[in-house]
Amino acid sequence: MNFWDKMLNIDRRWIFLAIGVVTIIPFLIGIGMPITTTTEVEDIFDFVNELGPENAIFVAFDFAPGTQAECMPMAVGVVRHAFHNDVPVFMTAYFPLSHGMMMAGFDYVTNPSIDGYYQVVEFAEWAHLREAGITTKAELVTEWENAGNVLPDNAANWVFEGRDYALLGYAPLFHLVILGMTSSIANQYPEDANGNALIEMPMLNEHKSLREVDLALTTAGSSACMSWITYAREKIGTPIAFGVTAVMATDYYPYIQSGQIIGQMGGLRGAAEYEVLMVENDVTESTGKAFRGMDVQSADHLLIILLIIMGNIAYFAGGAHKRHQMKGRG
Amino acid sequence: MYETIGLWVAAFFTLAIYSFLYKENPIYRLAEHLVVGISAGYGIAITWEITLEPRLIQPLLAGDNWVLLIPALLGLLYITRFIPSIAWLSRYPIAFLMGTGMGIGFPLTMKASVLRQLEAAMAPVYASGMPWFEVLGNLVLIFGTLAALIYFFFSKPHKGLFFGTGSKIGIWVIMLGFGATFGFTVMGRISLLIGRVQFLLGDWLHLIE
């Protein structure tokens, strides 16, 4: 067995080890490679950036733990962006496992151990303000702080449950739930995931159905995202945006061209682009997990390209292609 | 305390799954079986807590919404599959779901996935003020779509200028699509590894932020 044959028959565990090493090192030394943004992500960012407290969006956590590395940063990024602009966010989940993803994503945005987090005010805590008819964000914050509540130093702002967000969660046969929400959100979700009645929520009174919602962003690791186009976009014209895994990204580019979705974040790269846009527009002070992961992604891609080139050189220089041809003739 | 235990359990099972890269072993199999079992169990618990209990059991116990007995009965008919003598009853809920699913979904799916795409492919190649690269993109779109469709037309032999050359170009177009998909797939798989390594180095070992 000559050198080239040895290369072609290398134990694949050496390749796994090389990928492992190349994945760990950039995390430890932090390269910080620049990331340019693409139109399809900029379009989503600009759309959300134009919205304000009078609007509302849906962020659908339509993925399971297996694809959370790609989908979670996208959903978290858009929720943060919406909270920054005081845009109310309805959060849903397509599968039972996505329900846990939704709770984990919300926890990440509102976790006090992370700088720039959003301090939650639970639904029951501000019941007296609702009863007094105070439901606009600016008035709520003023009254809440006048009552002696102090925003922690590392928090970005308050978020009031029922005014700034509603954790709707999972419901079975979710494509039919989307269809039902085109008429009434409260009919499909009488209560949110925390047991609060939706009809008592100010954000629901201002946005009773999907017709009164300005955007639905679905972060998906499966074709679940298509349900939003089929049952929301095509039925009532709700603007839709996709955040999908890289594997699925090429399947859904035609929907951008046809104008059925306003934009798409594809894989970790798409999420990193959104994080870059948020920093550039002063929505957040620093980039997040997706951006940090892109250094590693670039290093791994370089290694894979190198391995493909070396494999091809070994295949042709070692004469393996001739032997395979002869075998075929025999 | 519970959070720390959770982190260690998650780290252990992450490493257990990755141990398959060296070779298959009992620890890997344990982790694999647990993933399947816990996912199913979690799904059942969530379905009970979020759907069955608040939306079926409680309203029925409260004595109103008796109409809920109809979907409940239909749902229970699924279980008859386990009793061979009355297994045929399970066809009723399946037929109901198939019928309503097709009736509701078919027109909208046709519109979303076929008609809108056809409409988008019929865009004008050129309009005044359109930049040259957009015109080129439109041409690639139209000829690429036609060539790929010719490749999948099997009623005529792929010979001659139209079918022969068209199908060859079609193969190239399809291969370019596969190449893009493969590139994205590599990126996706690496992203999943990155997610786990971020967890191990960050959340578990605190070596990175």
Side-chain angles (χ1 to χ4, degrees), chain A residues 155-166:
Chain A
N157 202 355
W158 304 99
V159 279
F160 293 82
E161 187 177 22
R163 161 59 190 82
D164 291 312
Y165 71 90

Side-chain angles (χ1 to χ4, degrees), chain A residues 154-188:
Chain A
N154 65 334
N157 202 355
W158 304 99
V159 279
F160 293 82
E161 187 177 22
R163 161 59 190 82
D164 291 312
Y165 71 90
L167 296 165
L168 302 183
Y170 165 71
L173 294 173
F174 196 79
H175 57 291
L176 297 180
V177 173
I178 297 170
L179 193 66
M181 287 195 296
T182 60
S183 303
S184 165
I185 296 169
N187 276 358
Q188 300 304 313

